[in-house]
Structures are given as C-alpha cells and as structure tokens.
Amino acid sequence: MPHATTPDGVKLYYEEAGSGTPILFVHEYCGDWRAWEPQMRFFARRHRCITYSFRGYPGSDVPPNGDMYGQQPAVDDARHMLDHLGISKAHIVGLSQGAFATVHFGRCYADRVLSLTLAGVGSGAGRDGHEQFKKDAVTTAGLIRKDGMAKYAESLTTNPTRSRFRLKDPRGFDEFTKHLSEHPAVGAANTMENYQGKRPSLYDFEEEWKALDLPTLIVCGDEDDPCLQPSLYLKQVLPNAGLAMFAKTGHAVNLEEPDAFNRELWNFIVLVESGKWTPRQPAAKDAGLI
C-alpha cells in the first residue's frame, strides 16, 4: 500500500492514476480517498490524479493524540503529499473540510498551486454562528467517541444538506454512508474536535483573500444552505474566482452530480491551462445602466 510519511511520522495513504499535469483531490470530513472515484476515473484520462486520506482516516495512520490534528496539519499534509510525489505544482481540488484545507493551502503555499477548486466550502465559517459551530463540533466529537461511527453515519440520512443525494442516487448514498461507517472513531472524533472545532472563520482572512490572485473555482449546491453565503463571500473577495451554483443539489456535489461537477471542473482546468481564466476587470466608475 502506498503511503507518504509526514515530518511528524504520520503515514498518509494515497492512490494515483493517469499521467500529465497533476491534480490533487482533498476529501471532506465524511469522505476519504474513495470519495473522489468519479473524478479519478474521468480526469486520469488526461491528468496525473492523486487522492489520499487525511490523518485519522481509512488507510492512513490514526494518531491517538488530538494535538496532531487540525487545520494547519491538514494544509501541511497536502504539501507533504506533493513533496513525496515529487510534484512542484498541482491543481488542488477540495470539498468541504478539504476545501478549507485547499483555500488555506493557496494562502500558505501559493507557489505550489496551479489552481484551486473549493466545493461545498464555508460550513460554520461565516460571521454568524461560527462560535456555536465550534461548540457543536466538540459535542459531536463526544458523541462519536461514545456511540461510534455507524450511528454517526446513520444520522446523515436525515441531514438536509445530504437528503437530495439520497433521493437522486440511493445506491451511491448507501455506499457513501457505508464508507463513512468504516472510519476509525478515534480519528473522526479527533478531527471533529480539533479541525472542525478549532478552525478560524474564513472571514478572518479577508485581506489575505483579496491578495490571493490564484485561479479559483468555487462550486456550491443551492440546497447546501450553510455554504451559500460563504461561497458568495469568497467569490467577492478572491480576485480571480468564479462561482458555479448547481440547482437542487446538496453538499457532496462531486458525488451527487458527478457529470456536472466533472464538466465544470474540466472547463475550469482547460481555461486555466490555456491562460484564459483571468481576473475580473474592475467596474468603471462611470458605467451606466444597460
């Protein structure tokens, strides 16, 4: 089994396919390396694609110490993955928790980035409700430790940001929740408490976002209510960002609408690689109504 070992000794499981310009896929809290399979199959036809599991997730090491988890370790682990594979720059594609890691990867390691894709980004990171979100994360971590991952996975069947996925693709949703139930409870609880429960608000970095001119695609389902405003916010402050909104779609956009997601991401990467994804022009002060 292929692993990349981080400087603090954690082995991260990864898989890769294809050849060409690299794309690194960074999964969400409820996913793991398997959650990008529709994208691995599609993009590996033209690109070198890498998917991996966060520390604490299936295939990777599960440190028992909560201090070894968090947003910055997740950001740094993405860099360690590129280092291990000898990749100088890549397209970085993240969903949810992985999108947080992705946007902060761009902030911290812009010289390693060809483009950023932020899907389902911003849950609990707005100006309103951020502190309560962190408290709820700590509570959820305790429940995971007490009841295990099977019960947590079952709770997603009634989550409004996941219900559209279940309705559209029952078989795919069942596979998704089965994979989630297999996650190590120690890793899931530590991640929930120390990443979800301690990450800063996206709004705390506004000046840095305004200076981050990397090509960026933001993707959001219109029924992913916690991510709507943060996605619009990032579109407004990131100078070279575009926003794709998917109708009647929830949180796990890459699994719920794989064809639409792949087309959107493919078009974005083609435009980036051809030099045609450029920053928006500032509005003219004397622009009139059309």
Side-chain angles (χ1 to χ4, degrees):
M1 295 175 64
H3 288 89
T5 302
T6 67
D8 60 350
V10 178
K11 292 182 178 179
L12 303 176
Y13 178 77
Y14 70 93
E15 290 193 2
E16 60 176 320
S19 61
T21 306
I23 305 174
L24 181 69
F25 293 100
V26 191
H27 66 77
E28 66 154 317
Y29 175 78
C30 291
D32 53 57
W33 65 272
R34 296 169 291 188
W36 292 108
E37 187 61 23
Q39 287 67 53
M40 293 290 287
R41 290 177 181 269
F42 180 83
F43 286 96
R45 299 167 185 239
R46 296 290 186 273
H47 289 77
R48 181 184 182 187
C49 297
I50 303 100
T51 178
Y52 71 101
S53 281
F54 279 120
R55 56 181 64 201
Y57 281 76
S60 295
D61 283 350
V62 184
N65 186 348
D67 292 341
M68 295 183 71
Y69 296 78
Q71 180 170 275
Q72 195 58 46
V75 172
D76 292 339
D77 284 352
R79 180 175 63 85
H80 300 322
M81 187 61 62
L82 295 185
D83 292 343
H84 173 80
L85 295 170
I87 296 171
S88 59
K89 288 189 174 187
H91 299 286
I92 314 296
V93 180
L95 173 68
S96 191
Q97 174 176 281
F100 277 90
T102 295
V103 72
H104 285 287
F105 185 95
R107 180 179 65 83
C108 296
Y109 305 116
D111 62 327
R112 307 295 298 273
V113 175
L114 294 172
S115 73
L116 304 172
T117 296
L118 315 174
V121 66
S123 181
R127 290 192 174 95
D128 297 327
H130 178 57
E131 292 304 316
Q132 186 59 50
F133 176 88
K134 293 195 293 184
K135 292 177 182 177
D136 291 344
V138 174
T139 299
T140 300
L143 291 174
I144 289 172
R145 292 188 178 101
K146 175 177 176 288
D147 299 328
M149 285 305 293
K151 188 168 183 177
Y152 178 77
E154 183 182 356
S155 73
L156 289 193
T157 60
T158 57
N159 187 308
T161 68
R162 310 280 181 172
S163 59
R164 188 65 65 171
F165 180 17
R166 186 186 186 194
L167 178 66
K168 292 176 183 176
D169 183 8
R171 183 178 177 87
F173 185 80
D174 286 347
E175 180 182 62
F176 170 77
T177 54
K178 177 180 181 295
H179 288 171
L180 177 57
S181 71
E182 296 167 355
H183 289 185
V186 170
N190 280 335
T191 302
M192 179 62 73
E193 184 171 0
N194 295 285
Y195 189 161
Q196 306 277 351
K198 294 180 180 178
R199 68 189 182 197
S201 169
L202 289 172
Y203 293 78
D204 294 341
F205 299 89
E206 183 162 320
E207 293 308 311
E208 291 171 83
W209 301 145
K210 289 178 178 179
L212 189 66
D213 62 354
L214 294 169
T216 303
L217 173 65
I218 304 162
V219 182
C220 189
D222 69 347
E223 294 190 4
D224 189 6
D225 288 352
C227 295
L228 290 174
Q229 288 302 320
S231 293
L232 289 170
Y233 167 74
L234 287 174
K235 162 60 184 170
Q236 291 169 341
V237 296
L238 290 167
N240 198 8
L243 173 61
M245 194 71 71
F246 290 4
K248 293 297 181 180
T249 300
H251 191 57
V253 290
N254 70 302
L255 294 175
E256 186 177 325
E257 292 290 352
D259 291 342
F261 183 87
N262 290 349
R263 287 195 302 271
E264 196 71 46
L265 179 57
W266 175 256
N267 183 61
F268 169 61
I269 288 176
V270 168
L271 290 173
V272 170
E273 294 185 348
S274 64
K276 294 181 179 179
W277 186 278
T278 57
R280 61 181 176 270
Q281 297 298 313
K285 293 183 180 180
D286 60 348
L289 295 175
I290 296 176

Short mmCIF file of all heavy atoms in Angstrom, two decimals, residues 38-94:
data_model
loop_
_atom_site.label_atom_id
_atom_site.label_comp_id
_atom_site.label_asym_id
_atom_site.label_seq_id
_atom_site.Cartn_x
_atom_site.Cartn_y
_atom_site.Cartn_z
N PRO A 38 -15.33 9.09 -8.89
CA PRO A 38 -15.84 9.58 -10.19
C PRO A 38 -14.90 10.57 -10.86
O PRO A 38 -14.87 10.65 -12.10
CB PRO A 38 -17.17 10.24 -9.81
CG PRO A 38 -17.56 9.63 -8.51
CD PRO A 38 -16.27 9.37 -7.79
N GLN A 39 -14.16 11.32 -10.06
CA GLN A 39 -13.22 12.28 -10.64
C GLN A 39 -11.92 11.59 -11.04
O GLN A 39 -11.33 11.92 -12.08
CB GLN A 39 -12.94 13.40 -9.63
CG GLN A 39 -14.08 14.37 -9.45
CD GLN A 39 -15.32 13.77 -8.81
OE1 GLN A 39 -15.23 13.17 -7.74
NE2 GLN A 39 -16.48 13.91 -9.45
N MET A 40 -11.46 10.64 -10.26
CA MET A 40 -10.25 9.90 -10.62
C MET A 40 -10.43 9.21 -11.97
O MET A 40 -9.54 9.24 -12.83
CB MET A 40 -9.91 8.88 -9.54
CG MET A 40 -9.49 9.47 -8.20
SD MET A 40 -7.87 10.27 -8.25
CE MET A 40 -6.79 8.83 -8.35
N ARG A 41 -11.57 8.59 -12.17
CA ARG A 41 -11.80 7.86 -13.42
C ARG A 41 -11.86 8.82 -14.61
O ARG A 41 -11.36 8.50 -15.70
CB ARG A 41 -13.11 7.07 -13.33
CG ARG A 41 -13.05 5.88 -12.39
CD ARG A 41 -14.41 5.20 -12.31
NE ARG A 41 -14.37 4.08 -11.39
CZ ARG A 41 -14.09 2.82 -11.74
NH1 ARG A 41 -13.79 2.55 -13.00
NH2 ARG A 41 -14.08 1.85 -10.85
N PHE A 42 -12.46 9.98 -14.42
CA PHE A 42 -12.62 10.93 -15.51
C PHE A 42 -11.33 11.68 -15.83
O PHE A 42 -10.88 11.73 -16.98
CB PHE A 42 -13.74 11.92 -15.18
CG PHE A 42 -14.00 12.94 -16.26
CD1 PHE A 42 -14.81 12.64 -17.34
CD2 PHE A 42 -13.43 14.21 -16.19
CE1 PHE A 42 -15.05 13.57 -18.33
CE2 PHE A 42 -13.65 15.14 -17.18
CZ PHE A 42 -14.47 14.83 -18.25
N PHE A 43 -10.72 12.26 -14.82
CA PHE A 43 -9.60 13.16 -15.07
C PHE A 43 -8.29 12.42 -15.33
O PHE A 43 -7.37 12.97 -15.92
CB PHE A 43 -9.45 14.16 -13.91
CG PHE A 43 -10.51 15.22 -13.93
CD1 PHE A 43 -11.65 15.09 -13.17
CD2 PHE A 43 -10.38 16.34 -14.73
CE1 PHE A 43 -12.65 16.05 -13.19
CE2 PHE A 43 -11.35 17.30 -14.78
CZ PHE A 43 -12.50 17.17 -14.01
N ALA A 44 -8.19 11.17 -14.90
CA ALA A 44 -6.97 10.40 -15.14
C ALA A 44 -6.76 10.12 -16.63
O ALA A 44 -5.67 9.71 -17.03
CB ALA A 44 -6.99 9.09 -14.36
N ARG A 45 -7.76 10.36 -17.45
CA ARG A 45 -7.60 10.20 -18.89
C ARG A 45 -6.61 11.22 -19.46
O ARG A 45 -6.00 10.98 -20.50
CB ARG A 45 -8.94 10.36 -19.59
CG ARG A 45 -9.99 9.34 -19.18
CD ARG A 45 -11.38 9.74 -19.67
NE ARG A 45 -12.38 8.81 -19.17
CZ ARG A 45 -13.19 8.10 -19.97
NH1 ARG A 45 -13.07 8.18 -21.28
NH2 ARG A 45 -14.07 7.28 -19.44
N ARG A 46 -6.48 12.36 -18.77
CA ARG A 46 -5.62 13.43 -19.30
C ARG A 46 -4.63 13.97 -18.26
O ARG A 46 -3.73 14.73 -18.62
CB ARG A 46 -6.49 14.59 -19.79
CG ARG A 46 -7.39 14.26 -20.96
CD ARG A 46 -6.61 14.05 -22.24
NE ARG A 46 -7.49 13.86 -23.39
CZ ARG A 46 -7.98 12.69 -23.78
NH1 ARG A 46 -7.68 11.59 -23.09
NH2 ARG A 46 -8.76 12.58 -24.84
N HIS A 47 -4.81 13.63 -17.00
CA HIS A 47 -4.00 14.22 -15.94
C HIS A 47 -3.47 13.14 -14.99
O HIS A 47 -4.00 12.03 -14.95
CB HIS A 47 -4.82 15.24 -15.13
CG HIS A 47 -5.13 16.49 -15.88
ND1 HIS A 47 -6.10 16.57 -16.84
CD2 HIS A 47 -4.58 17.74 -15.80
CE1 HIS A 47 -6.14 17.80 -17.32
NE2 HIS A 47 -5.25 18.53 -16.71
N ARG A 48 -2.46 13.50 -14.26
CA ARG A 48 -1.98 12.66 -13.16
C ARG A 48 -2.82 13.01 -11.93
O ARG A 48 -2.74 14.12 -11.40
CB ARG A 48 -0.50 12.94 -12.88
CG ARG A 48 0.08 12.09 -11.76
CD ARG A 48 1.52 12.49 -11.46
NE ARG A 48 2.10 11.65 -10.42
CZ ARG A 48 3.30 11.87 -9.88
NH1 ARG A 48 4.05 12.90 -10.30
NH2 ARG A 48 3.76 11.06 -8.95
N CYS A 49 -3.63 12.07 -11.48
CA CYS A 49 -4.59 12.33 -10.41
C CYS A 49 -4.18 11.60 -9.13
O CYS A 49 -3.84 10.42 -9.17
CB CYS A 49 -5.99 11.87 -10.84
SG CYS A 49 -6.64 12.77 -12.24
N ILE A 50 -4.26 12.33 -8.01
CA ILE A 50 -3.89 11.77 -6.71
C ILE A 50 -5.04 11.99 -5.74
O ILE A 50 -5.57 13.11 -5.63
CB ILE A 50 -2.61 12.42 -6.15
CG1 ILE A 50 -1.43 12.27 -7.11
CG2 ILE A 50 -2.27 11.84 -4.78
CD1 ILE A 50 -1.16 13.50 -7.96
N THR A 51 -5.44 10.94 -5.06
CA THR A 51 -6.41 11.03 -3.98
C THR A 51 -5.79 10.39 -2.74
O THR A 51 -5.08 9.40 -2.85
CB THR A 51 -7.74 10.34 -4.35
OG1 THR A 51 -8.65 10.41 -3.25
CG2 THR A 51 -7.53 8.88 -4.73
N TYR A 52 -6.05 10.97 -1.59
CA TYR A 52 -5.44 10.44 -0.36
C TYR A 52 -6.39 10.62 0.80
O TYR A 52 -7.39 11.36 0.71
CB TYR A 52 -4.11 11.14 -0.08
CG TYR A 52 -4.21 12.58 0.36
CD1 TYR A 52 -4.09 12.93 1.71
CD2 TYR A 52 -4.42 13.60 -0.56
CE1 TYR A 52 -4.19 14.26 2.12
CE2 TYR A 52 -4.51 14.92 -0.16
CZ TYR A 52 -4.40 15.25 1.18
OH TYR A 52 -4.51 16.57 1.58
N SER A 53 -6.08 9.95 1.90
CA SER A 53 -6.87 10.08 3.13
C SER A 53 -6.14 10.96 4.13
O SER A 53 -4.94 10.81 4.35
CB SER A 53 -7.12 8.71 3.77
OG SER A 53 -8.16 8.01 3.12
N PHE A 54 -6.90 11.86 4.75
CA PHE A 54 -6.37 12.64 5.86
C PHE A 54 -5.84 11.72 6.95
O PHE A 54 -6.26 10.56 7.07
CB PHE A 54 -7.49 13.49 6.50
CG PHE A 54 -7.80 14.77 5.79
CD1 PHE A 54 -9.07 15.00 5.29
CD2 PHE A 54 -6.85 15.77 5.66
CE1 PHE A 54 -9.39 16.20 4.67
CE2 PHE A 54 -7.15 16.97 5.05
CZ PHE A 54 -8.42 17.18 4.54
N ARG A 55 -4.97 12.24 7.79
CA ARG A 55 -4.60 11.52 9.01
C ARG A 55 -5.87 11.23 9.81
O ARG A 55 -6.77 12.07 9.91
CB ARG A 55 -3.60 12.33 9.83
CG ARG A 55 -4.04 13.73 10.21
CD ARG A 55 -2.99 14.48 11.01
NE ARG A 55 -1.76 14.71 10.24
CZ ARG A 55 -0.57 14.96 10.79
NH1 ARG A 55 -0.46 15.03 12.12
NH2 ARG A 55 0.49 15.15 10.04
N GLY A 56 -5.95 10.01 10.36
CA GLY A 56 -7.14 9.62 11.11
C GLY A 56 -8.20 8.95 10.27
O GLY A 56 -9.24 8.56 10.81
N TYR A 57 -7.95 8.80 8.98
CA TYR A 57 -8.95 8.25 8.05
C TYR A 57 -8.49 6.91 7.49
O TYR A 57 -7.31 6.55 7.61
CB TYR A 57 -9.21 9.25 6.93
CG TYR A 57 -10.13 10.39 7.33
CD1 TYR A 57 -9.67 11.43 8.13
CD2 TYR A 57 -11.46 10.40 6.93
CE1 TYR A 57 -10.52 12.47 8.50
CE2 TYR A 57 -12.31 11.44 7.30
CZ TYR A 57 -11.84 12.46 8.08
OH TYR A 57 -12.68 13.49 8.47
N PRO A 58 -9.41 6.16 6.86
CA PRO A 58 -9.07 4.82 6.38
C PRO A 58 -7.83 4.79 5.49
O PRO A 58 -7.68 5.59 4.57
CB PRO A 58 -10.32 4.41 5.58
CG PRO A 58 -11.43 5.11 6.27
CD PRO A 58 -10.85 6.45 6.65
N GLY A 59 -6.97 3.85 5.81
CA GLY A 59 -5.73 3.68 5.07
C GLY A 59 -4.56 4.44 5.65
O GLY A 59 -3.41 4.03 5.51
N SER A 60 -4.83 5.59 6.26
CA SER A 60 -3.79 6.42 6.87
C SER A 60 -3.66 6.09 8.35
O SER A 60 -4.53 5.46 8.95
CB SER A 60 -4.12 7.90 6.69
OG SER A 60 -4.10 8.28 5.32
N ASP A 61 -2.56 6.56 8.94
CA ASP A 61 -2.38 6.38 10.38
C ASP A 61 -3.45 7.16 11.16
O ASP A 61 -3.96 8.19 10.69
CB ASP A 61 -1.00 6.88 10.81
CG ASP A 61 0.11 5.91 10.46
OD1 ASP A 61 -0.20 4.77 10.06
OD2 ASP A 61 1.29 6.29 10.59
N VAL A 62 -3.74 6.67 12.36
CA VAL A 62 -4.75 7.29 13.22
C VAL A 62 -4.08 7.68 14.53
O VAL A 62 -4.09 6.92 15.51
CB VAL A 62 -5.91 6.31 13.49
CG1 VAL A 62 -7.00 7.01 14.31
CG2 VAL A 62 -6.48 5.77 12.18
N PRO A 63 -3.48 8.87 14.58
CA PRO A 63 -2.83 9.28 15.83
C PRO A 63 -3.85 9.41 16.96
O PRO A 63 -4.92 9.98 16.77
CB PRO A 63 -2.22 10.65 15.48
CG PRO A 63 -2.14 10.67 13.99
CD PRO A 63 -3.29 9.86 13.52
N PRO A 64 -3.53 8.88 18.14
CA PRO A 64 -4.47 8.99 19.26
C PRO A 64 -4.47 10.36 19.90
O PRO A 64 -5.44 10.74 20.57
CB PRO A 64 -3.96 7.94 20.25
CG PRO A 64 -2.49 7.82 19.94
CD PRO A 64 -2.36 8.04 18.47
N ASN A 65 -3.41 11.13 19.68
CA ASN A 65 -3.26 12.44 20.30
C ASN A 65 -3.98 13.51 19.48
O ASN A 65 -3.65 13.75 18.32
CB ASN A 65 -1.76 12.78 20.42
CG ASN A 65 -1.52 14.05 21.20
OD1 ASN A 65 -2.44 14.83 21.48
ND2 ASN A 65 -0.27 14.29 21.56
N GLY A 66 -4.95 14.17 20.09
CA GLY A 66 -5.72 15.19 19.39
C GLY A 66 -4.89 16.36 18.92
O GLY A 66 -5.26 17.04 17.95
N ASP A 67 -3.76 16.62 19.57
CA ASP A 67 -2.91 17.74 19.17
C ASP A 67 -2.29 17.54 17.79
O ASP A 67 -1.77 18.49 17.20
CB ASP A 67 -1.79 17.94 20.19
CG ASP A 67 -2.31 18.44 21.53
OD1 ASP A 67 -3.44 18.97 21.56
OD2 ASP A 67 -1.59 18.29 22.54
N MET A 68 -2.36 16.33 17.27
CA MET A 68 -1.77 16.05 15.95
C MET A 68 -2.76 16.29 14.81
O MET A 68 -2.47 16.02 13.64
CB MET A 68 -1.24 14.62 15.89
CG MET A 68 -0.08 14.37 16.85
SD MET A 68 0.60 12.70 16.73
CE MET A 68 1.44 12.79 15.12
N TYR A 69 -3.94 16.79 15.16
CA TYR A 69 -4.97 17.08 14.18
C TYR A 69 -5.22 18.59 14.13
O TYR A 69 -4.90 19.31 15.07
CB TYR A 69 -6.28 16.38 14.53
CG TYR A 69 -6.22 14.87 14.50
CD1 TYR A 69 -5.63 14.16 15.56
CD2 TYR A 69 -6.76 14.14 13.45
CE1 TYR A 69 -5.59 12.77 15.54
CE2 TYR A 69 -6.72 12.76 13.44
CZ TYR A 69 -6.13 12.08 14.49
OH TYR A 69 -6.08 10.71 14.47
N GLY A 70 -5.83 19.04 13.05
CA GLY A 70 -6.19 20.45 12.96
C GLY A 70 -6.07 20.96 11.54
O GLY A 70 -5.64 20.26 10.62
N GLN A 71 -6.47 22.22 11.37
CA GLN A 71 -6.46 22.79 10.03
C GLN A 71 -5.04 22.90 9.46
O GLN A 71 -4.80 22.53 8.31
CB GLN A 71 -7.11 24.17 10.04
CG GLN A 71 -7.13 24.83 8.66
CD GLN A 71 -7.98 26.07 8.66
OE1 GLN A 71 -9.20 26.01 8.48
NE2 GLN A 71 -7.35 27.22 8.86
N GLN A 72 -4.10 23.40 10.25
CA GLN A 72 -2.76 23.56 9.70
C GLN A 72 -2.09 22.23 9.39
O GLN A 72 -1.46 22.10 8.33
CB GLN A 72 -1.88 24.38 10.64
CG GLN A 72 -0.59 24.90 9.98
CD GLN A 72 -0.87 25.76 8.76
OE1 GLN A 72 -1.72 26.64 8.78
NE2 GLN A 72 -0.15 25.49 7.67
N PRO A 73 -2.21 21.20 10.25
CA PRO A 73 -1.69 19.89 9.84
C PRO A 73 -2.30 19.39 8.55
O PRO A 73 -1.62 18.76 7.72
CB PRO A 73 -2.04 18.99 11.03
CG PRO A 73 -2.06 19.90 12.20
CD PRO A 73 -2.63 21.19 11.67
N ALA A 74 -3.60 19.65 8.34
CA ALA A 74 -4.25 19.21 7.10
C ALA A 74 -3.67 19.95 5.89
O ALA A 74 -3.45 19.36 4.83
CB ALA A 74 -5.76 19.43 7.18
N VAL A 75 -3.45 21.24 6.04
CA VAL A 75 -2.84 22.03 4.96
C VAL A 75 -1.43 21.53 4.67
O VAL A 75 -1.04 21.31 3.51
CB VAL A 75 -2.81 23.52 5.34
CG1 VAL A 75 -2.01 24.33 4.33
CG2 VAL A 75 -4.23 24.08 5.46
N ASP A 76 -0.66 21.32 5.72
CA ASP A 76 0.72 20.87 5.55
C ASP A 76 0.78 19.45 4.97
O ASP A 76 1.69 19.13 4.19
CB ASP A 76 1.46 20.94 6.87
CG ASP A 76 1.68 22.37 7.34
OD1 ASP A 76 1.63 23.29 6.51
OD2 ASP A 76 1.90 22.56 8.56
N ASP A 77 -0.18 18.60 5.33
CA ASP A 77 -0.18 17.23 4.81
C ASP A 77 -0.37 17.23 3.29
O ASP A 77 0.20 16.38 2.59
CB ASP A 77 -1.27 16.40 5.47
CG ASP A 77 -0.90 15.97 6.89
OD1 ASP A 77 0.26 16.19 7.29
OD2 ASP A 77 -1.78 15.42 7.59
N ALA A 78 -1.16 18.16 2.78
CA ALA A 78 -1.31 18.26 1.32
C ALA A 78 0.03 18.62 0.67
O ALA A 78 0.39 18.07 -0.37
CB ALA A 78 -2.38 19.30 0.97
N ARG A 79 0.76 19.50 1.31
CA ARG A 79 2.10 19.84 0.78
C ARG A 79 3.04 18.65 0.87
O ARG A 79 3.81 18.39 -0.06
CB ARG A 79 2.67 21.04 1.54
CG ARG A 79 4.07 21.45 1.04
CD ARG A 79 4.55 22.70 1.73
NE ARG A 79 4.70 22.52 3.16
CZ ARG A 79 5.78 22.02 3.74
NH1 ARG A 79 6.82 21.63 3.01
NH2 ARG A 79 5.84 21.90 5.06
N HIS A 80 2.99 17.93 1.99
CA HIS A 80 3.86 16.75 2.14
C HIS A 80 3.53 15.71 1.06
O HIS A 80 4.44 15.02 0.58
CB HIS A 80 3.69 16.14 3.53
CG HIS A 80 4.03 17.06 4.65
ND1 HIS A 80 5.08 17.94 4.60
CD2 HIS A 80 3.45 17.23 5.88
CE1 HIS A 80 5.13 18.63 5.73
NE2 HIS A 80 4.17 18.21 6.51
N MET A 81 2.26 15.60 0.69
CA MET A 81 1.89 14.66 -0.36
C MET A 81 2.54 15.05 -1.68
O MET A 81 3.09 14.20 -2.40
CB MET A 81 0.36 14.61 -0.51
CG MET A 81 -0.14 13.55 -1.46
SD MET A 81 0.28 11.86 -0.99
CE MET A 81 -0.59 11.74 0.59
N LEU A 82 2.50 16.34 -2.02
CA LEU A 82 3.15 16.79 -3.25
C LEU A 82 4.66 16.56 -3.16
O LEU A 82 5.29 16.11 -4.14
CB LEU A 82 2.87 18.27 -3.48
CG LEU A 82 1.41 18.67 -3.76
CD1 LEU A 82 1.34 20.15 -4.10
CD2 LEU A 82 0.80 17.85 -4.88
N ASP A 83 5.23 16.85 -2.00
CA ASP A 83 6.68 16.64 -1.83
C ASP A 83 7.05 15.17 -2.04
O ASP A 83 8.03 14.85 -2.73
CB ASP A 83 7.13 17.09 -0.44
CG ASP A 83 7.04 18.59 -0.24
OD1 ASP A 83 6.95 19.33 -1.24
OD2 ASP A 83 7.07 19.03 0.92
N HIS A 84 6.27 14.29 -1.43
CA HIS A 84 6.55 12.86 -1.53
C HIS A 84 6.53 12.38 -2.98
O HIS A 84 7.33 11.52 -3.38
CB HIS A 84 5.52 12.08 -0.70
CG HIS A 84 5.61 10.60 -0.85
ND1 HIS A 84 6.56 9.84 -0.18
CD2 HIS A 84 4.89 9.72 -1.61
CE1 HIS A 84 6.41 8.57 -0.51
NE2 HIS A 84 5.41 8.47 -1.37
N LEU A 85 5.61 12.94 -3.76
CA LEU A 85 5.44 12.51 -5.15
C LEU A 85 6.31 13.30 -6.12
O LEU A 85 6.24 13.07 -7.33
CB LEU A 85 3.96 12.63 -5.54
CG LEU A 85 3.01 11.70 -4.76
CD1 LEU A 85 1.57 12.06 -5.04
CD2 LEU A 85 3.28 10.24 -5.11
N GLY A 86 7.10 14.22 -5.59
CA GLY A 86 7.99 15.00 -6.44
C GLY A 86 7.26 15.96 -7.35
O GLY A 86 7.72 16.26 -8.46
N ILE A 87 6.14 16.49 -6.88
CA ILE A 87 5.31 17.40 -7.68
C ILE A 87 5.56 18.84 -7.21
O ILE A 87 5.38 19.15 -6.04
CB ILE A 87 3.82 17.05 -7.53
CG1 ILE A 87 3.56 15.65 -8.10
CG2 ILE A 87 2.94 18.09 -8.20
CD1 ILE A 87 2.16 15.13 -7.81
N SER A 88 5.96 19.69 -8.12
CA SER A 88 6.24 21.07 -7.75
C SER A 88 4.98 21.91 -7.68
O SER A 88 4.83 22.75 -6.78
CB SER A 88 7.23 21.71 -8.75
OG SER A 88 6.70 21.68 -10.07
N LYS A 89 4.04 21.69 -8.62
CA LYS A 89 2.78 22.44 -8.64
C LYS A 89 1.66 21.52 -9.08
O LYS A 89 1.87 20.60 -9.86
CB LYS A 89 2.85 23.63 -9.61
CG LYS A 89 3.72 24.78 -9.15
CD LYS A 89 3.52 25.98 -10.08
CE LYS A 89 4.27 27.19 -9.57
NZ LYS A 89 3.97 28.40 -10.37
N ALA A 90 0.45 21.81 -8.60
CA ALA A 90 -0.70 20.99 -8.97
C ALA A 90 -1.97 21.82 -8.91
O ALA A 90 -2.03 22.87 -8.26
CB ALA A 90 -0.82 19.79 -8.03
N HIS A 91 -2.98 21.33 -9.62
CA HIS A 91 -4.35 21.80 -9.39
C HIS A 91 -4.81 21.16 -8.09
O HIS A 91 -4.74 19.92 -7.94
CB HIS A 91 -5.26 21.38 -10.54
CG HIS A 91 -4.88 21.93 -11.87
ND1 HIS A 91 -5.08 23.25 -12.22
CD2 HIS A 91 -4.29 21.34 -12.95
CE1 HIS A 91 -4.65 23.45 -13.46
NE2 HIS A 91 -4.17 22.31 -13.93
N ILE A 92 -5.29 21.95 -7.14
CA ILE A 92 -5.75 21.42 -5.85
C ILE A 92 -7.27 21.52 -5.81
O ILE A 92 -7.83 22.62 -5.97
CB ILE A 92 -5.13 22.19 -4.67
CG1 ILE A 92 -3.62 22.42 -4.86
CG2 ILE A 92 -5.42 21.46 -3.37
CD1 ILE A 92 -2.80 21.16 -4.88
N VAL A 93 -7.93 20.39 -5.59
CA VAL A 93 -9.39 20.32 -5.61
C VAL A 93 -9.88 19.81 -4.27
O VAL A 93 -9.54 18.68 -3.87
CB VAL A 93 -9.88 19.39 -6.74
CG1 VAL A 93 -11.41 19.32 -6.75
CG2 VAL A 93 -9.37 19.86 -8.10
N GLY A 94 -10.65 20.61 -3.55
CA GLY A 94 -11.11 20.21 -2.22
C GLY A 94 -12.61 20.33 -2.06
O GLY A 94 -13.24 21.20 -2.66
#
